[in-house]
Structures are given as C-alpha cells and as structure tokens.
Amino acid sequence: MPTSEDSPATPTPPVRGLQRSEAQQRAALLRVQEYDVTLDLASSEETFGSLTRITLDSQAGETFLDLKPTAVRSIHLDGAPLDVDTLRAGRLPLSLTEGRHELVVDAVMPFRNDGEGLHRSVDPADGRHYVYGMSFMDAAPSIFACFDQPDLKAPYTFHVRAPEDWVVIGNAPGTNPEPGVWELERSQPLSTYFVTLVAGPYHLVRDEHDGIALGLSARQSIAADLERDADELFTMTKQCFDEFHRLFDIRYPFGDYHQAFVPEFNAGAMENPGCVTFRDPLVFTSKVTRAVRIQRATTVAHEMAHQWFGNITTPLWWDDLWLNESFAEYMGVRVTADVTEYDDAWVQNSFARRQWGLVADQRPSTHPVAGNGEEDALAALQNFDGISYAKGSSILKQLAARLGDDVFLAGVRDHLTRHRFGNATMHDLFDSWTRAGAGGFGRFSGDWLVTAGPDRIRLDRIAGELVRTPPAEHPADRSHALRLATAPAGGDWSETPVEVAGERTPVEVPTGQAVLIDPWEDTWAVCEPDELTLALLPGLVATTTDPMVRAGAWNSVRSGFHHAEVAPDAVVDLAEAWLPVETQDSGLTYTVPWLLRSAVPLAGDPAEAASRLHRVALSAAQAHEPGSTLQLGTVQAAVATAADPALLRGWLLGRDLPDGLEPDLELRWRIWVRLAVLGETDREELDAALAAEPTAVSRVEHTRAVASMPTVAAKEFALERFTGAVSVPNYELEAAGTGMWRESQRALLEPYVERYAHGLAAAAAAHSGWVQADVAEDFFPTCMVGDEAMALLAPLRTDERLPAPVRRRLVDAVDQLERRNAVAARFPALAARASLGGAG
Ligand SMILES: [Zn+2]
C-alpha cells in the first residue's frame, strides 16, 4: 500500500476502452432483441447476484460479450455451457452461427464505491445503506452481462430481490408484489449506458402531470429537506415537460419520470431514461443562494432535454456525445429561463459557465467542439469539459439565431422522428436541418464546430476598429454577429450591433466612453477590455442595470487577467466597487471564489485586498434585505475574506450576524473552514463539530477544514487520502485536495509540491474510474508559483507512467500555473510582495 512519496510508483497500464472499429464490427454482426436481468441485492453487502438472459439475432462470426464480474457461476449459449475461463479483461469471446440465440450469464458482481457500476454507500448520519446504478460510460458490464456500446439498443426487463425495507426504481415502472421483490416493466429500447437502478431505503415523494407519474427520492436523513423543495422541483419539472412537448412535438415516451438524488455521485446528474440520477448535495440541507437554485433548475431541465435528444435518438459513437451535451446545456438554460421562476438563468449561465468554456478553449488541450475523431471510448470521456458544454451550447444558440427558431426546431423534430429509439450522427442532424430549410452547414461546421480555439476581439480605439485575432495554432476566418455596449462615465449603456468579418472592422465609438464587446454573448470569442474601459468600469457598475452587462464586464476582465493584460489590483478595484451593488447573487457565488483564487493573492498587498473586499461585503450584508439570498451571498464573501477570528466565532454562535441570517450547518462549516485556514481552530473542535451533526455535508466539510489547517499534521491528513492510504468517498477526497493548498501557507506547503509530483503515479494507481483524473487535479499545487514548483510539475504532463486522462488534466493545471506566473512577471513588484503571504 503506497503511504508516502518514498513508495515506488506503480506503472499503470495504458487505459484502453472499446475501439470504434470493434463496435462497428459487432454492430454489423448482431442485433440484440432483449435483455432480461435478475439481480439479487439482498444476499451480501459486498457483491450481488446478476443473472442476464440476452436474446439476439446474429450473422455467423466471432465477437465478444462484455462482463466485469467478481465471479462467474455459468454461461450458456443456446443451452450449452461455455468455458468461463476464456473471460479476459472483461471480454468473453463468442462464436456465433447465423440466426436467433439465447445467452444466459449467471455471475456475481461487485458493489462498487467509486460512483460507477452499482455504487453502494453508507449514510454517516444513520448507517443506512444506499445503492444506485451508473452505467455511463463503460460500467454496465459490472452490473449485468451485455454488449456495451451505444448503438446496440434493446428493451430491458428487470427483476430485483432487495432487503425488505428498500424501494427499487429503474428505467421502467415497477411493482412490488411481495416484500423484497420488485418487478419492473419491459423498458423502451435503451443503450447500455442508460441502464440504472436506484435501490435502498430511500424516501419517496410522488406527483403526476399530464399522465406522467413523477417521483423524487433521497436518503432518509435528508427527507425533510427533499420535502421542503418538492413543490419547487415538481413545479419546474411540469413546466419543463409542457415546454419540451411544445418545442419537440413528440410525447415523452419512457413511462414514469423519476428524479433520484443519490449519494457520492461523480457528475452533476445522469439522464437515464425514466430515472435520472442527481448528486444529492442538490437536496439543500442549508440555505443556499438563488444562483445555486438556478444551477439545480438548469440541471433538471438539462436532463429532461436529454430524454429526447440523447435518449430517444442517441449518438452512434462517443465522438458525437458533445452534441448531446451541447444541446442539453443550451436547452436546459433556455427552457429554465423561458418557463420557470428562474427567468434570470442566462445571467447565472454567464457568471457560472462562460469562463469555464473560454478558458478550456484556450488551453493547450483544446479540441474542436465536434469531430474530435475519438476512436477510443474512454479517451472520449476527457472531452466532457467546458468546450462540450459551454462552448457547444453557445454555438447552438448562435445557430438557432441564424436559422430562426422555426427551422432550428423543425430540424430537431425531423431528426428525433427519423431516428426514434435509434442512433444517429451529427451529419444526420445537419441533413434534418437542411430538409427543414437551413443551408450552408459546411461553412458553419468548419468555422465553429471542427476548428478549435476562440478568436480574440479587441478594440483599437485610435484606429476606431475591432481587431479580430484567430488562435495561432488553429487558423480560422470566422465572422461574428455581436453587439457592443458603450457608456459614458457614470451614464447608461447603449447597444450597437456589429458584424465582425475580416481582421479589422471599423466601429464608431464615442470618445471617452467605456466599451464592452459582446456582453450579451451573441458570439463565442475572448473579448478583453481596453485600458480606458477598465478604468471606467468601477465607476459604472453602480448604474449598470442590465445584469448581463455586469456579467459581461466580469467575463471581459477575467479574460484580460487570463492573458496577463489586466493587473490584479485593477481587478480588486473593480470588485470593491461592484460587490455592494451587484443585484444578482449569481455574480457573488461564482465571481468571489475566482477573485480569492486568482486576483487577490497576486495583488499588491493580498491581505489588504482581502480586507477591502471583506469590508464592502460586510456592509453590503447589513444593507441587503434581511433573509435575502443576496444577503447570504455577501455574508459568504465576508466569511471567505475574514481575518478576525473573534468576528467568526461570534457568528458561529449566532452573535452579530446581519439580521435575518441563521448560522445553519453550511454557514457554520464555512466559518470553521475559514478559522482552519487562519490557524484559529484545532482538530478537537472540528471533530466535535462532526460528532455533533454527523451528516454527509459535515463529513465533507470536516475533511476540508482539517486539510486547511496550517500544520504538518493537516497536510499529512490530506496526503493520506491522496495516496489512498486512507480510503474515502469521492467528495471527501476532493475536499482534502482543494482544502490542502492555501495561499497563506506557502512556506509550510513548499515540500508538498515534491510529494505530489513523486507520489502522483502511485496515487493514480490507487484510485479508479472518474476519480483517478479528479485526484490529480484536486491535489494539484495550484497556489505554488515559481520556477522550482514548475520544474517539478511540468514534466508530469509527459510522464508515461501516468494514465492518459491524468496527463490531460496536468496539461491544463500546468497551463494555469504558467498563466499565473505570467501575471506575476507582468506585474513583478506586486508578485514579489504577494509571495510574503496573504489571503487563503
Ligand atoms: Zn448532459
């Protein structure tokens, strides 16, 4: 077991998934008619029985079955036993004759604890066990024997035996004929990656809308929290169903619609037909900002969009999976803004997602939205990033604007109708759009979908021109239809449409006015502020009534900072003016953490910068309406920037908090984490806080707080989780990693850069699945500027001992450090002073 940096790195075999050519051969050979799956979840806490009966039609030929069991009891093909010892690396070779066959696999499968397969976990609050299935993207064979590729769809019938106090929900409606026995109806044809099962003593809430049975579920220990939000969740689900039915004109075909909030889920959610799974921190156990509620609402709508786009019609191969995500991301925000109470969803999206996409698109690892040409299923997973979601969504939004909504939607309907319960490609969709009256997809696809990287658009004030610069590594000649926002000092913004084509586009800009390029996100480009605009912005934020313009201003400034064109102190000046006047808590929720990570530590005097932000956050919290989420957002900012332990200790006890605010569990943990960073708490106090309320939230935040303390013991605590010496669930792992590295503790953390670099190969080997690459990113020494750290970290990008997904994350993480060093180099006096310490 690797325990420290001295352990030899275990070489990891290259991770290889299903190859496209293998999938094509198998799809040409066989059709799966039906899966009948019997699972026994009641006999053990470590494994479960899995009996799969597959009916298929085949040509004569050689192929293989996917199966990742703990043990195989027997395999029969048309009644004759097969040699189970031929199972190698999850594949069982099959020799098929032409015609109908029945394959029966009786196996024992492992309950997993990495968020994939059938994940089983224990609720720390009450010791109850919960199970859910996550088949995406290659985990189905660790639940049942199958032909695991997206284009071999078949209906499923599940029979489940479970402990008697459990409920079982799957992709199709079910009954519970006797205690512990669950029979699910035959489902519609599904890809293997959609198959799920949610089983355990879950708390259920039910409703109905337009003939569709609706359900919500969560752990018993958060039942009251689910009940409190059930009305909001059901209401938006109903509103979204009505809107999707109107937009697509195709009835939801998967029976019931259940939304299960499940523990330790890796992603935000998974769109399994009829039974969507969500990470259960989305059941709010404390008061949250509106931004966080919008995030949940757009996730709900995103997964609903997938029921049509992705679940009815599914990509033929993983290289088109971007289209699923881009489409669901676009529709999720659009429908949330159009029909739910969250009509400001596009503002939240601008604050939360724009930079995620733009930064990803400027990394060395950038890739085209479409046609990444991925031949390997597992490699394709690494492209689930800001490009596939935020950029792809932006491109589809542009397309809808250019085609007109009628043509856009008519093409989508045609696509979903032609390929109902089947599979299709991007080109099939383009054909549908062409049939609907659109044209010119060659140009559109070439400009936006198959060429990586964003253009930079800047204002040359002297020439009176917008200057468009395509990325040097990815030459392109894109035109941009966008709007400029211009405003005189202290005045109102006005908008001017511009068509940017060619390298230079003349624009009329009134002398002395601030100019924001594309704040309404009509196009996809990096638009930095010029010097005059940057100087005017702090004076303009108070009179900027359009929240998209404020979000656009921040995206512009963040882009400038990313390119070391905007000084950290200019960012802090803007933040100080803006924080008290921001009217959307989305701005605070997503901008303040960025400020504290990026600009504040590199400011002339980081402690003073943090203190300035703390002062304005505090007075804003007093000024905002008591009990408002805006007040909560400013208090969260005040906690994160606090340097006075007495103030924090008072708040912990509910003393001197702004009116209308309670120190609920989440706020108390925010305070404990801040006290930990400041070195103003100890392990004993944190352990006592966990023991007093041992919930899932507490466990994660306790880990974050302990790892945040400025002590060797705290950093060793974090590293034990990194190396796998202490095995913890995914959320605690993330909290240990991101808690460990603190700006104000750089001297203490110096030796840990080497520990990270030398221990990474063993750490990667100690973790599996999605978590493996996450652990490399979460524990990366993000705050350690300087040549020494770079010399240790940069070579990891090409270290062949590391799995490819880990190296990909390192490419991005090292790029971020280089950007940071560039800011320090461009503003050297500031960076030199910043190294003396500052805000954590
Ligand atoms: Zn999605």
Side-chain angles (χ1 to χ4, degrees):
M1 184 171 8
T3 53
S4 75
E5 80 281 11
D6 299 317
S7 307
T10 316
T12 312
V15 181
R16 184 175 176 276
L18 180 70
Q19 304 297 297
R20 186 208 294 255
S21 56
E22 294 169 338
Q24 284 169 338
Q25 284 165 18
R26 197 158 64 171
L29 191 74
L30 54 88
R31 293 277 169 277
V32 184
Q33 293 300 328
E34 173 154 32
Y35 285 94
D36 187 279
V37 182
T38 303
L39 300 183
D40 178 3
L41 309 182
S43 49
S44 157
E45 291 183 2
E46 278 77 43
T47 59
F48 58 96
S50 168
L51 177 70
T52 311
R53 193 179 299 271
I54 309 173
T55 310
L56 60 97
D57 290 329
S58 175
Q59 310 285 321
E62 306 294 317
T63 189
F64 60 92
L65 177 78
D66 296 299
L67 179 62
K68 298 170 184 168
T70 302
V72 181
R73 293 189 182 118
S74 66
I75 303 176
H76 288 83
L77 178 62
D78 302 322
L82 297 182
D83 180 2
V84 300
D85 292 334
T86 60
L87 179 67
R88 291 269 180 287
R91 291 181 177 188
L92 182 86
L94 286 177
S95 185
L96 296 171
T97 56
E98 190 181 338
R100 168 84 35 119
H101 299 283
E102 187 185 64
L103 193 57
V104 180
V105 178
D106 189 356
V108 178
M109 300 289 197
F111 282 118
R112 293 171 62 170
N113 63 2
D114 59 0
E116 298 182 59
L118 270 197
H119 177 95
R120 184 173 183 131
S121 65
V122 181
D123 187 344
D126 57 17
R128 288 186 168 102
H129 287 232
Y130 293 92
V131 166
Y132 62 85
M134 177 65 166
S135 295
F136 183 87
M137 68 188 312
D138 66 339
S142 69
I143 305 176
F144 54 96
C146 58
F147 300 96
D148 189 22
Q149 61 188 67
D151 58 337
L152 285 174
K153 288 187 175 184
Y156 288 76
T157 308
F158 269 82
H159 319 273
V160 182
R161 198 168 81 82
E164 292 187 5
D165 60 335
W166 285 22
V167 291
V168 175
I169 297 152
N171 299 99
T175 57
N176 182 201
E178 56 183 279
V181 175
W182 296 81
E183 297 290 338
L184 306 189
E185 290 172 16
R186 192 174 195 257
S187 74
Q188 296 284 15
L190 307 178
S191 297
T192 42
Y193 80 89
F194 296 146
V195 177
T196 194
L197 207 63
V198 170
Y202 286 97
H203 178 73
L204 293 184
V205 192
R206 298 191 187 283
D207 201 343
E208 186 276 338
H209 179 66
D210 190 16
I212 303 166
L214 305 177
L216 301 169
S217 58
R219 286 177 286 126
Q220 290 290 343
S221 63
I222 53 174
D225 305 293
L226 181 69
E227 290 279 355
R228 192 168 49 241
D229 278 358
D231 190 40
E232 175 180 329
L233 287 163
F234 280 135
T235 299
M236 76 176 64
T237 302
K238 294 170 189 179
Q239 290 165 329
C240 291
F241 260 126
D242 289 347
E243 180 68 357
F244 283 124
H245 280 141
R246 187 184 76 80
L247 294 173
F248 296 140
D249 199 24
I250 295 169
R251 178 95 189 148
Y252 168 75
F254 295 109
D256 298 355
Y257 193 69
H258 189 84
Q259 298 176 96
F261 295 87
V262 297
E264 298 165 359
F265 197 70
N266 284 319
M270 176 66 205
E271 66 265 23
N272 318 298
C275 184
V276 175
T277 41
F278 295 83
R279 55 165 49 224
D280 72 7
L282 289 174
V283 175
F284 307 132
T285 54
S286 291
K287 185 168 180 164
V288 295
T289 56
R290 181 177 172 86
V292 173
R293 286 190 182 272
I294 298 175
Q295 177 67 52
R296 180 172 72 180
T298 57
T299 305
V300 165
H302 174 116
E303 305 310 325
M304 292 182 76
H306 274 313
Q307 302 303 317
W308 284 263
F309 206 102
N311 293 2
I312 291 179
T313 303
T314 308
L316 192 66
W317 178 245
W318 301 113
D319 66 335
D320 266 341
L321 213 56
W322 68 272
L323 191 55
N324 265 8
E325 296 313 334
S326 302
F327 193 86
E329 175 93 353
Y330 166 58
M331 278 292 164
V333 181
R334 171 178 162 165
V335 168
T336 300
D338 286 353
V339 303
T340 77
E341 65 182 291
Y342 300 115
D343 55 0
D344 47 348
W346 284 112
V347 178
Q348 188 268 2
N349 189 254
S350 181
F351 277 118
R353 304 290 251 193
R354 186 77 168 178
Q355 284 299 310
W356 179 43
L358 282 173
V359 167
D361 207 15
Q362 296 174 84
R363 295 281 189 218
S365 65
T366 186
H367 55 87
V369 173
N372 58 47
E374 215 56 87
E375 295 296 319
D376 182 294
L378 285 182
L381 183 61
Q382 288 311 306
N383 291 333
F384 275 74
D385 54 12
I387 296 171
S388 294
Y389 288 76
K391 181 180 180 183
S393 163
S394 167
I395 306 307
L396 289 178
K397 182 165 157 253
Q398 280 178 62
L399 180 67
R402 290 195 177 214
L403 299 182
D405 219 29
D406 289 348
V407 171
F408 181 81
L409 290 170
V412 172
R413 284 182 211 124
D414 182 74
H415 181 71
L416 296 176
T417 305
R418 274 171 190 272
H419 307 284
R420 184 177 174 84
F421 299 133
N423 299 77
T425 66
M426 170 177 80
H427 294 287
D428 293 324
L429 178 62
F430 286 0
D431 289 347
S432 286
W433 270 324
T434 304
R435 265 192 295 278
F441 277 105
R443 179 72 203 263
F444 179 81
S445 175
D447 281 354
W448 296 106
L449 294 175
V450 301
T451 308
D455 291 343
R456 286 171 78 178
I457 303 177
R458 277 171 297 172
L459 174 67
D460 180 342
R461 216 175 258 273
I462 295 161
E465 291 172 333
L466 290 179
V467 183
R468 185 200 68 183
T469 315
E473 311 77 23
H474 308 283
D477 178 18
R478 288 175 278 239
S479 63
H480 300 260
L482 56 83
R483 285 168 287 169
L484 297 183
T486 54
D492 293 332
W493 293 91
S494 38
E495 89 186 54
T496 316
V498 185
E499 183 83 25
V500 174
E503 194 192 330
R504 288 180 168 264
T505 304
V507 283
E508 275 187 37
V509 174
T511 311
Q513 296 209 3
V515 179
L516 288 173
I517 304 164
D518 193 33
W520 294 283
E521 304 183 358
D522 300 317
T523 190
W524 180 258
V526 174
C527 305
E528 297 150 67
D530 70 311
E531 221 169 295
L532 177 62
T533 300
L534 189 63
L536 291 172
L537 277 177
L540 274 167
V541 281
T543 54
T544 301
T545 50
D546 183 343
M548 280 303 284
V549 175
R550 288 197 301 275
W554 269 117
N555 281 316
S556 169
V557 167
R558 288 178 64 168
S559 286
F561 187 81
H562 189 75
H563 284 275
E565 298 284 350
V566 170
D569 280 323
V571 177
V572 175
D573 288 345
L574 176 61
E576 189 181 21
W578 154 84
L579 212 149
V581 299
E582 179 56 62
T583 59
Q584 306 278 128
D585 66 42
S586 293
L588 305 170
T589 297
Y590 300 105
T591 308
V592 171
W594 174 79
L595 286 167
L596 298 180
R597 241 182 3 254
S598 299
V600 169
L602 296 179
D605 181 342
E608 200 252 340
S611 146
R612 280 163 64 196
L613 298 186
H614 179 73
R615 267 198 306 275
V616 290
L618 209 52
S619 62
Q622 309 284 0
H624 288 313
E625 187 189 331
S628 64
T629 62
L630 202 51
Q631 181 194 47
L632 177 63
T634 47
V635 166
Q636 289 172 349
V639 170
T641 47
D644 175 5
L647 175 82
L648 292 169
R649 292 226 161 260
W651 284 1
L652 212 43
L653 300 170
R655 276 203 314 260
D656 305 327
L657 267 175
D659 279 351
L661 211 62
E662 296 293 324
D664 61 17
L665 189 64
E666 193 198 312
L667 187 57
R668 271 181 285 138
W669 275 113
R670 280 178 187 265
I671 294 170
W672 275 312
V673 167
R674 184 62 193 160
L675 286 169
V677 173
L678 296 170
E680 295 288 344
T681 180
D682 57 23
R683 186 66 192 268
E684 203 180 332
E685 182 187 12
L686 297 174
D687 289 353
L690 173 62
E693 277 179 273
T695 70
V697 169
S698 293
R699 276 195 72 101
V700 173
E701 296 312 313
H702 171 266
T703 298
R704 194 185 315 282
V706 172
S708 298
M709 292 193 291
T711 65
V712 168
K715 305 313 169 192
E716 295 297 331
F717 167 94
L719 269 200
E720 283 172 350
R721 281 144 183 79
F722 173 63
T723 60
V726 174
S727 176
V728 292
N730 43 9
Y731 296 175
E732 288 169 52
L733 198 59
E734 185 271 342
T738 50
M740 173 176 176
W741 298 97
R742 296 291 177 177
E743 298 287 347
S744 54
Q745 302 168 6
R746 277 197 222 136
L748 169 70
L749 286 164
E750 211 71 61
Y752 291 92
V753 180
E754 197 173 351
R755 301 268 303 268
Y756 171 86
H758 290 166
L760 184 57
H767 296 93
S768 64
W770 296 32
V771 173
Q772 188 181 57
D774 288 347
V775 88
E777 182 178 332
D778 294 338
F779 283 83
F780 189 86
T782 44
C783 65
M784 304 306 283
V785 276
D787 296 343
E788 226 169 291
M790 196 56 90
L792 284 163
L793 297 169
L796 295 172
R797 292 173 298 183
T798 49
D799 189 332
E800 292 290 333
R801 294 171 308 164
L802 298 170
V806 168
R807 292 201 304 266
R808 159 81 182 266
R809 298 288 182 95
L810 289 165
V811 165
D812 292 352
V814 170
D815 180 60
Q816 185 56 39
L817 259 195
E818 283 172 348
R819 301 274 178 177
R820 207 185 152 100
N821 282 338
V823 174
R826 175 82 191 272
F827 308 99
L830 307 174
R833 279 184 285 149
S835 71
L836 295 174

